Amino acid sequence: MGVNYDYDVIIIGAGIAGIGAAFRLQERCQHLTYCILEGRHEPGGTWSLFQYPGIRSDSDLFTYSFPWHPWDGQAIATGKDIRRYLHEAAKTKGIYGKVKLNQHVNEMRWSSGTQTWAISSTNTLDDVETNFNCRFVLQATGYYNYDTPLPAKIPGLENFSGPVIHPQFWPEKFDYSGKNVVIIGSGATAITLLPTLSKKAAQVTMLQRSPTYITSLTSVPRLHSFIKLCFPEPLAYKIIRLQWILFILIFVRFCRLFPRLSWVVLIFLTRLELPADVSIWPDFAPRYNPFDQNLCLTPNSEFFQALHGGKANVKTATISRVTADTIQLISGIELKPDVIVTATGLNLQFGGNIKILVDNTPFAVSSSFVWKGCMLDGLPNCIAILGYFDASWTLGTDSSAKMACRLLNHARTKKKKSFTPRSTIGMKKRPFTYLNSTYVTTAEDVLPKAGDKTQWQPRANLWREMRDIWWGDITTDMEWL
């Protein structure tokens, strides 16, 4: 007797990862039915959730966009433009109609008896619960908690009498005109906020515990115009995209192989951007090697231009405590903000905080190893669509989606109903990612682990994954039933 199910595949999340995975399913697994469950009121993921002033991409859009839906805009784009692009891509490829909006997934239950997943979701508008059954799950839920930002551990922050804002939940129409704003943090969000807020605020201070690498990127490189003049539009897009992919991968590789030399180059470029009266020390000279933490981009030097304007500054110091109207630093200096913005990082998580059960036994994500960067040890028919942390996110999610399609097609060819990674006994743990930003190290206890064996090692690079997608080993440490 056959087992009833609603869809072959359910994709959880309609952000850039979920939309990309849906396209690859339509392209490579046309025999499979699918839907997308999205907890928000619209597709878009991060670009629907985050609404803080100046929200933009922190990587180039030529590699961040889909290879199957060309991006025809500036290299660095606003959140609004990216959201519009995602909606357009989903509608153009017939994906939008597959999305079930306002469906917050609470629980996933695997049954070995039926070889299916039972998924429970709640409608965020009327609290009605709906159950779905499927054979395979693609988790495209991103890598951070949408509902709870990373708590800012700042002594006395609760005593501050003015607004304390986390960028993840920026108040609509919040007026910061003429106010003194202190942004606590030094990551991509802080570097985006500083030049934007300084246009209306009286003064903006980016207060950081340690500096980060900041480099400028031209929004409309001249080379693009030349390529578009020389080649037909479809080919020009492919050339521009390949140019950016090569640049990113070579640059990251160079920084990892020659950390001291890359440090010197990046510090030199920063010195050229800074006002003459602003020292490189201690605010712009990181103590770690490039790409031990993320390198931050600023389009057309807008971050540095804000420093030249006189209404923005950067201070490197440790907070002693926050009072009702001041931030007291260990050095004895006091800042007197009207508004505090805690841009201290994201609250990382794996799998969207969904409760997972395998044959009625709770499944512990944090104690699991990751097979080929996309499946968890002991979790059947569930593939995570994850991106890269040191390159454009979408390059990684597209690789994950292609690997998912290869696994699904292999299951069909071999007439298998399930596939489950099984880790090697005695395997040593490795970090899920080599980045050591505070928000990453804080989440070590909740993230799964990589291993030291071939199939379980941390994700390497795009070229190796492209090879794996077509010819890599998908049978070792994988149980096919």
Side-chain angles (χ1 to χ4, degrees):
M1 183 179 293
V3 177
N4 292 324
Y5 48 84
D6 302 299
Y7 300 94
D8 291 301
V9 182
I10 287 182
I11 302 171
I12 303 176
I16 197 163
I19 294 170
F23 174 82
R24 292 304 178 193
L25 276 180
Q26 293 181 171
E27 176 192 53
R28 303 186 177 202
C29 302
Q30 298 179 13
H31 59 286
L32 297 177
T33 61
Y34 80 92
C35 77
I36 306 177
L37 301 182
E38 168 56 48
R40 296 185 59 76
H41 65 285
E42 64 174 352
T46 292
W47 307 108
S48 172
L49 174 67
F50 280 84
Q51 301 294 327
Y52 62 80
I55 173 73
R56 58 166 173 79
S57 63
D58 55 4
S59 59
D60 75 277
L61 260 293
F62 299 102
T63 56
Y64 187 80
S65 60
F66 301 121
W68 42 268
H69 192 75
W71 170 260
D72 187 23
Q74 297 185 347
I76 300 294
T78 66
K80 183 178 180 181
D81 287 340
I82 297 171
R83 188 168 66 252
R84 184 187 303 117
Y85 165 83
L86 294 177
H87 286 212
E88 178 187 278
K91 290 175 180 177
T92 301
K93 300 301 180 180
I95 296 168
Y96 205 101
K98 302 283 189 178
V99 181
K100 298 181 183 298
L101 298 173
N102 303 301
Q103 292 294 328
H104 184 274
V105 176
N106 310 306
E107 185 179 87
M108 296 167 44
R109 289 178 173 268
W110 170 260
S111 169
S112 296
T114 62
Q115 298 280 282
T116 58
W117 281 102
I119 297 178
S120 171
S121 71
T122 301
N123 189 301
T124 57
L125 299 179
D126 56 18
D127 290 331
V128 172
E129 186 173 307
T130 305
N131 295 310
F132 300 90
N133 290 291
C134 65
R135 298 163 59 203
F136 308 101
V137 172
L138 303 188
Q139 284 193 330
T141 53
Y143 63 100
Y144 64 90
N145 192 316
Y146 273 47
D147 302 316
T148 307
L150 183 68
K153 296 181 180 179
I154 301 171
L157 183 62
E158 69 280 0
N159 298 325
F160 187 65
S161 60
V164 177
I165 301 172
H166 193 288
Q168 191 165 331
F169 298 108
W170 192 274
E172 187 177 1
K173 298 180 181 179
F174 177 73
D175 186 12
Y176 51 88
S177 301
K179 298 186 182 296
N180 292 322
V181 181
V182 171
I183 306 167
I184 300 175
S186 60
T189 301
I191 288 161
T192 299
L193 280 167
L194 181 139
T196 304
L197 298 183
S198 66
K199 294 174 183 177
K200 294 170 60 178
Q203 185 69 34
V204 180
T205 299
M206 191 174 91
L207 177 59
Q208 58 186 14
R209 202 166 39 181
S210 62
T212 191
Y213 294 97
I214 309 170
T215 187
S216 180
L217 183 69
T218 303
S219 291
V220 187
R222 293 178 181 177
L223 181 59
H224 290 188
S225 300
F226 176 75
I227 292 172
K228 290 178 180 178
L229 282 174
C230 295
F231 299 97
E233 186 174 324
L235 180 57
Y237 166 75
K238 291 179 180 179
I239 294 172
I240 291 171
R241 178 179 169 82
L242 179 60
Q243 166 215 329
W244 279 99
I245 291 175
L246 291 173
F247 170 75
I248 291 170
L249 297 181
I250 292 172
F251 177 64
V252 172
R253 187 65 174 165
F254 174 82
C255 288
R256 300 294 292 176
L257 288 175
F258 307 103
R260 298 309 299 168
L261 178 58
S262 58
W263 182 91
V264 171
V265 171
L266 290 169
I267 293 302
F268 174 74
L269 294 175
T270 301
R271 175 64 271 175
L272 294 179
E273 297 273 13
L274 290 172
D277 60 341
V278 175
S279 172
I280 198 83
W281 311 98
D283 301 324
F284 300 95
R287 298 189 293 267
Y288 56 88
N289 291 328
F291 288 102
D292 282 351
Q293 299 181 22
N294 280 329
L295 181 147
C296 295
L297 298 177
T298 178
N300 304 315
S301 302
E302 66 175 19
F303 177 88
F304 299 109
Q305 289 175 6
L307 301 182
H308 281 272
K311 293 175 61 181
N313 66 93
V314 177
K315 184 172 290 295
T316 304
T318 301
I319 297 174
S320 172
R321 65 189 300 270
V322 178
T323 68
D325 56 1
T326 66
I327 297 176
Q328 298 178 354
L329 308 179
I330 286 180
S331 62
I333 296 175
E334 283 190 349
L335 305 179
K336 296 185 177 181
D338 300 309
V339 180
I340 294 177
V341 180
T342 56
T344 50
L346 299 168
N347 189 5
L348 300 192
Q349 66 178 19
F350 189 99
N353 203 30
I354 298 168
K355 183 180 180 181
I356 303 174
L357 296 97
V358 176
D359 295 326
N360 295 320
T361 300
F363 182 86
V365 169
S366 60
S367 60
S368 301
F369 286 100
V370 184
W371 182 89
K372 286 189 177 293
C374 67
M375 291 191 74
L376 295 181
D377 178 22
L379 194 62
N381 289 17
C382 183
I383 304 166
I385 309 300
L386 291 172
Y388 297 132
F389 287 92
D390 59 358
S392 286
W393 181 254
T394 320
L395 291 176
T397 59
D398 197 43
S399 292
S400 296
K402 290 176 180 176
M403 177 58 75
C405 291
R406 184 181 174 200
L407 292 168
L408 295 172
N409 285 330
H410 185 81
R412 184 193 189 198
T413 300
K414 299 298 182 180
K415 298 182 179 180
K416 302 296 184 180
K417 293 183 178 180
S418 67
F419 45 92
T420 309
R422 301 293 183 188
S423 61
T424 305
I425 296 175
M427 185 163 56
K428 295 179 181 179
K429 293 181 180 179
R430 287 188 178 181
F432 185 62
T433 173
Y434 60 74
L435 296 180
N436 59 18
S437 304
T438 301
Y439 72 95
V440 175
T441 56
T442 299
E444 284 181 349
D445 292 339
V446 300
L447 293 177
K449 309 297 184 286
D452 63 338
K453 303 299 182 182
T454 302
Q455 302 287 75
W456 306 87
Q457 291 178 357
R459 298 180 77 169
N461 58 60
L462 178 64
W463 309 122
R464 186 182 298 178
E465 292 200 349
M466 286 174 64
R467 181 194 64 195
D468 258 8
I469 289 164
W470 292 104
W471 305 290
D473 177 11
I474 59 171
T475 58
T476 300
D477 296 339
M478 180 69 80
E479 179 183 70
W480 296 86
L481 297 175

